[in-house]
Amino acid sequence: MTFRRAISLACGFAGGSAVLVCAAVAADKRGYFADRRRLRETLAAVHAAQPPAWPTASGWDYNWDKRDPSSPVNGKRKESAGDAGSPDVENSKPKATRHIFLIRHSQYNLKGDGDKERILTPLGREQAEYTGQRLAVLGLKYDVLIHSSMTRATETANIISKHLPGVELMSCDLLREGAPIEPVPPVTHWKPEAVQYHEDGARIEAAFRRYIHRADPKQKEDSYEIIVCHANVIRYFVCRALQFPPEGWLRMGLNNGSITWLTIRPSGRVGLRALGDSGFMPPDKLTRT
């Protein structure tokens, strides 16, 4: 059997670079390589062909929200390693999971002069009805419905609220649309000035810190919270929560009225259960404006 055939079979069965390296070294001992230069070139080619390693678990910052009571960066100085298991630390640990539903506003009048005139279109109101129905049939006990103070988000939230009687409705200026951070790679059709990133970015980051974090230690049961806001805000939140590079936020697309579902465990682990789900709407009702 030729050396090339042996390597091909080894790759087919094992599929790993370690097999290739071992086979190359064994072949060298048997004289398959005429000189060391050919061996080095083969090993270099094997190494170059491997995909980059995925970040290890140690790269995850469990104290990303600065709410881990056992961390030395929690506002209190630990006296000793044993303090991590002290009653005070145990009592201050979160025990509940937070479920956060990020809803993008429905379709609105793009030709409106200013925020107040950018109201929902008839289709947009219909989309909000579908979203409200979807949230209702999930059968969850929602704790609060928070919305951006912009007109299109406020109208969307009001329509959704009709399907969730008894859920508190709150408005927040921090959740208004904006430019969170300069996207990478850049796009040619949208280029805000640097000052907009500077101002909007600080506000949207403040919104992230206010709403995206693990549960308070006093919270005993899992919570289900709805936030109606905007595509840029939602995409930035997702990147930050998953500890992905936030500059990648513009690579994701979200339909109007779609549902993004984040879970935050007591340990600080974050999961993305749905991103821009709009499968509950008929295909002819889907838009992305």
Side-chain angles (χ1 to χ4, degrees), residues 59-65 98 100 102 204-205 207-209 211-214 232-247 249 252 260-265 267-275:
W60 176 264
D61 179 11
Y62 282 94
N63 196 29
W64 58 274
D65 59 352
R98 294 184 66 212
I100 303 172
L102 301 168
I204 295 172
E205 173 64 20
F208 173 82
R209 298 187 186 193
Y211 296 113
I212 313 298
H213 54 78
R214 74 191 78 185
N232 294 358
V233 176
I234 294 171
R235 294 182 285 190
Y236 178 78
F237 279 10
V238 169
C239 287
R240 285 281 285 109
L242 297 179
Q243 298 186 27
F244 292 165
E247 294 86 355
W249 64 272
M252 296 180 280
T260 295
W261 184 349
L262 283 173
T263 60
I264 307 177
R265 304 295 181 187
S267 64
R269 288 182 179 271
V270 179
L272 182 63
R273 297 186 63 168
L275 176 65

Side-chain angles (χ1 to χ4, degrees), residues 35-42:
D35 53 52
R36 290 285 174 177
R37 180 180 60 81
R38 290 182 61 189
L39 173 61
R40 288 195 299 270
E41 290 175 352
T42 300

Side-chain angles (χ1 to χ4, degrees), residues 172-248:
C172 179
D173 287 332
L174 292 178
L175 294 167
R176 296 172 71 88
E177 183 65 300
I181 190 172
E182 189 169 358
V184 177
V187 293
T188 57
H189 62 277
W190 187 70
K191 286 189 174 296
E193 295 182 1
V195 67
Q196 186 175 352
Y197 288 120
H198 182 70
E199 294 176 353
D200 291 351
R203 171 179 54 78
I204 295 172
E205 173 64 20
F208 173 82
R209 298 187 186 193
R210 172 177 292 188
Y211 296 113
I212 313 298
H213 54 78
R214 74 191 78 185
D216 186 276
K218 296 179 181 179
Q219 181 177 323
K220 305 302 181 184
E221 298 180 354
D222 293 353
S223 59
Y224 299 86
E225 304 157 53
I226 303 170
I227 299 177
V228 179
C229 53
H230 310 269
N232 294 358
V233 176
I234 294 171
R235 294 182 285 190
Y236 178 78
F237 279 10
V238 169
C239 287
R240 285 281 285 109
L242 297 179
Q243 298 186 27
F244 292 165
E247 294 86 355

Side-chain angles (χ1 to χ4, degrees), residues 81-218:
D83 289 349
S86 67
D88 288 342
V89 171
E90 290 299 319
N91 291 335
S92 61
K93 284 184 177 180
K95 302 170 182 62
T97 294
R98 294 184 66 212
H99 297 263
I100 303 172
F101 296 84
L102 301 168
I103 313 298
R104 190 189 175 196
H105 61 77
S106 300
Q107 185 191 67
Y108 67 102
N109 175 26
L110 290 170
K111 297 180 180 179
D113 184 16
D115 176 59
K116 290 186 178 180
E117 293 185 11
R118 293 175 181 171
I119 60 176
L120 297 186
T121 64
L123 174 57
R125 291 191 288 273
E126 195 173 354
Q127 290 170 339
E129 295 283 357
Y130 281 116
T131 305
Q133 292 168 11
R134 174 60 175 172
L135 291 170
V137 298
L138 290 177
L140 302 173
K141 184 181 178 182
Y142 299 105
D143 298 89
V144 66
L145 198 170
I146 307 165
H147 61 85
S148 156
S149 56
M150 297 187 80
T151 300
R152 55 188 181 271
T154 301
E155 287 187 329
T156 301
N158 286 335
I159 294 173
I160 291 174
S161 180
K162 294 188 303 181
H163 298 273
L164 307 173
V167 178
E168 182 182 7
L169 197 63
M170 297 173 55
S171 177
C172 179
D173 287 332
L174 292 178
L175 294 167
R176 296 172 71 88
E177 183 65 300
I181 190 172
E182 189 169 358
V184 177
V187 293
T188 57
H189 62 277
W190 187 70
K191 286 189 174 296
E193 295 182 1
V195 67
Q196 186 175 352
Y197 288 120
H198 182 70
E199 294 176 353
D200 291 351
R203 171 179 54 78
I204 295 172
E205 173 64 20
F208 173 82
R209 298 187 186 193
R210 172 177 292 188
Y211 296 113
I212 313 298
H213 54 78
R214 74 191 78 185
D216 186 276
K218 296 179 181 179

